[in-house]
Amino acid sequence: EKGGYDHFMLKEIYEQPHAITDTYRGRLLANSGIIRMAGVDDHLERFVNAKRIIIVACGTSWHAGLVSEYLFEDLARIPVEVEYASEFRYRNPIITENDVVIAISQSGETADTLAAIKLAKEKGAFVFGICNVVGSSIARETHAGAYTHAGPEIGVASTKAFTTQITLLSLIALKLGKAKGSLSNALYHSYLQEMELIPKKVEMLLKTDEKVKYIASIYKDATNCLYLGRGYNFPVALEGALKLKEISYIHAEGYPAAEMKHGPIALIDENMPVFVIATSKGHYEKVVSNIQEIKSRSGKIVAIVTEGDTQVKEIADHVIEIPETEEAFTPLLTTIPMQLLSYHIAVMRGCNVDQPRNLAKSVTVE
Ligand code: M6R
């Protein structure tokens, strides 16, 4: 049932090229310039006139929500707030009929997310669900929605659910950008074409597995790790850190790279591995200077860079290259080596990768 893989997590990491294709199949019609999603099409007015989008989710799904904050603001010019469902529901939040609430959940059963949806509905908001499990409670409780179609995710650590959620959110942001006219036609079309190339690029990245495994063998005994990224890749840094702590039990923190100097830099010494996302388009020069700051304090640097990078290569201890893509789509690629890294470190430490201690696949208690 693991299809020849040692663990479900590895199988699910490797399924991502297909899972992403399944997410956009029938929805993305790149050649005709159409994105077709019944759940959005049927309520297009509500989306287009939304004063605000509020995202509610937990864990990895919350990280996908954070990526979508950049997508919606950048492509569709809609203000976004991303909320931990558990905080949102107990805060007497301000919600109006002009808000669109998007709930993101792989399982569709997360208790806090479900409660946040009920609250938003009571206040008159339109609630849209992004779930993986068909017919789940959240799918039923929302006004409309779209499934990620990632297929069953068994490993407790979320992998393909995350990348397919981002795929779906990208499609919605592009669709709204087009409908609102905030995105030029030329740009819209080039995004659509590029999206079709993502599964191939993810497949190419999976070929870095051996190299990532080697890097994992060097850092597997670390007690602390830092993950840094900026812009679209700040949430990926958070997700990288979550993945490492949940399956390898190594303490890890994700930070926006520029926040380093406001505290965490004090932690840097020769025992601190720092995983930095430094792709070519997202504030590259700024990230390079962040990397220099780490280097001058003897931190160990593993950088995720864009193919052909020369500058970071000179400073970093190890680099992993990702293929060129639109900045907005880089999270779909930079995530992959992060997942593989956590996986290999956890396996090397003898951890139960698919069923980490103290965790359940879906958190149905509050
Ligand atoms: O099923 P959901 O997406 O609602 O689950 C949310 C979180 O419990 C989940 O993402 C959790 O953080 C994962 N174990 C992370 O890998």
Side-chain angles (χ1 to χ4, degrees):
E1 52 184 358
K2 290 182 198 143
Y5 291 93
D6 290 344
H7 300 94
F8 282 110
M9 181 181 177
L10 190 62
K11 171 172 178 270
E12 288 157 8
I13 290 173
Y14 271 83
E15 278 172 348
Q16 287 174 111
H18 277 117
I20 292 170
T21 310
D22 288 344
T23 301
Y24 70 59
R25 176 173 295 118
R27 292 171 168 155
L28 172 66
L29 309 170
N31 290 334
S32 25
I34 293 170
I35 294 172
R36 201 166 50 194
M37 295 175 72
V40 180
D41 285 313
D42 295 349
H43 307 274
L44 198 57
E45 287 298 294
R46 290 218 62 155
F47 275 101
V48 168
N49 298 323
K51 293 264 178 296
R52 194 166 60 142
I53 292 177
I54 303 172
I55 313 266
V56 293
C58 303
T60 289
S61 297
W62 183 78
H63 294 153
L66 275 185
V67 173
S68 82
E69 176 173 14
Y70 292 81
L71 289 164
F72 285 120
E73 296 199 350
D74 207 11
L75 308 178
R77 307 302 297 149
I78 304 173
V80 177
E81 276 163 43
V82 188
E83 305 267 2
Y84 284 117
S86 55
E87 285 298 314
F88 177 80
R89 58 179 291 209
Y90 288 117
R91 206 185 53 226
N92 193 13
I94 299 161
I95 313 168
T96 75
E97 285 157 20
N98 298 317
D99 291 326
V100 168
V101 172
I102 302 181
I104 309 172
S105 175
Q106 187 287 129
S107 63
E109 302 297 343
T110 301
D112 282 317
T113 309
L114 195 55
I117 292 168
K118 289 183 178 153
L119 179 68
K121 276 169 74 183
E122 272 164 33
K123 307 251 185 192
F126 171 70
V127 187
F128 188 88
I130 292 183
C131 297
N132 190 41
V133 177
V134 176
S136 55
S137 304
I138 292 176
R140 281 181 280 119
E141 198 62 47
T142 41
H143 294 119
Y147 287 115
T148 43
H149 298 307
E153 191 183 66
I154 311 290
V156 164
S158 189
T159 53
K160 61 178 179 171
F162 180 64
T163 45
T164 56
Q165 286 164 347
I166 295 175
T167 302
L168 202 51
L169 289 156
S170 304
L171 293 182
I172 300 174
L174 287 166
K175 192 172 169 58
L176 298 183
K178 171 87 158 84
K180 293 190 66 174
S182 53
L183 201 57
S184 76
N185 252 331
L187 215 50
Y188 172 79
H189 285 280
S190 70
Y191 274 117
L192 267 50
Q193 300 290 340
E194 180 60 22
M195 180 53 91
E196 282 200 318
L197 303 177
I198 293 293
K200 263 262 137 4
K201 293 184 180 181
V202 171
E203 217 167 284
M204 285 162 65
L205 261 173
L206 290 168
K207 300 208 171 84
T208 63
D209 200 359
E210 275 308 308
K211 181 171 191 185
V212 175
K213 193 169 170 183
Y214 167 71
I215 296 172
S217 72
I218 297 174
Y219 298 108
K220 68 177 184 0
D221 297 317
T223 44
N224 293 288
C225 292
L226 261 184
Y227 285 76
L228 303 176
R230 291 181 85 128
Y232 277 100
N233 285 293
F234 156 52
V236 177
L238 296 182
E239 172 62 8
L242 174 62
K243 215 90 303 175
L244 188 70
K245 54 190 144 187
E246 93 180 303
I247 60 171
S248 76
Y249 319 138
I250 296 175
H251 171 239
E253 282 193 72
Y255 258 96
E259 273 293 307
M260 269 256 305
K261 54 182 165 301
H262 298 285
I265 199 162
L267 294 166
I268 308 278
D269 62 13
E270 67 283 358
N271 298 317
M272 177 67 101
V274 186
F275 302 100
V276 191
I277 304 164
T279 46
S280 63
K281 288 175 187 154
H283 321 284
Y284 178 75
E285 293 298 334
K286 302 259 183 212
V287 180
V288 171
S289 47
N290 297 142
I291 294 176
Q292 270 151 351
E293 287 160 13
I294 303 163
K295 189 74 186 176
S296 62
R297 285 157 187 89
S298 309
K300 297 283 178 293
I301 299 153
V302 179
I304 297 179
V305 298
T306 309
E307 250 164 23
D309 178 283
T310 52
Q311 232 177 313
V312 173
K313 231 175 237 171
E314 279 186 14
I315 332 171
D317 295 272
H318 308 276
V319 295
I320 301 161
E321 293 189 327
I322 66 152
E324 181 83 44
T325 188
E326 291 288 348
E327 188 188 346
F329 296 160
T330 51
L332 293 167
L333 304 185
T334 53
T335 302
I336 310 295
M338 297 281 190
Q339 295 170 342
L340 289 169
L341 186 83
S342 305
Y343 171 77
H344 288 302
I345 289 182
V347 171
M348 288 170 192
R349 288 168 69 98
C351 299
N352 186 343
V353 174
D354 285 334
Q355 293 236 282
R357 67 186 182 202
N358 309 339
L359 288 170
K361 183 61 185 163
S362 76
V363 183
T364 52
V365 292
E366 303 187 358

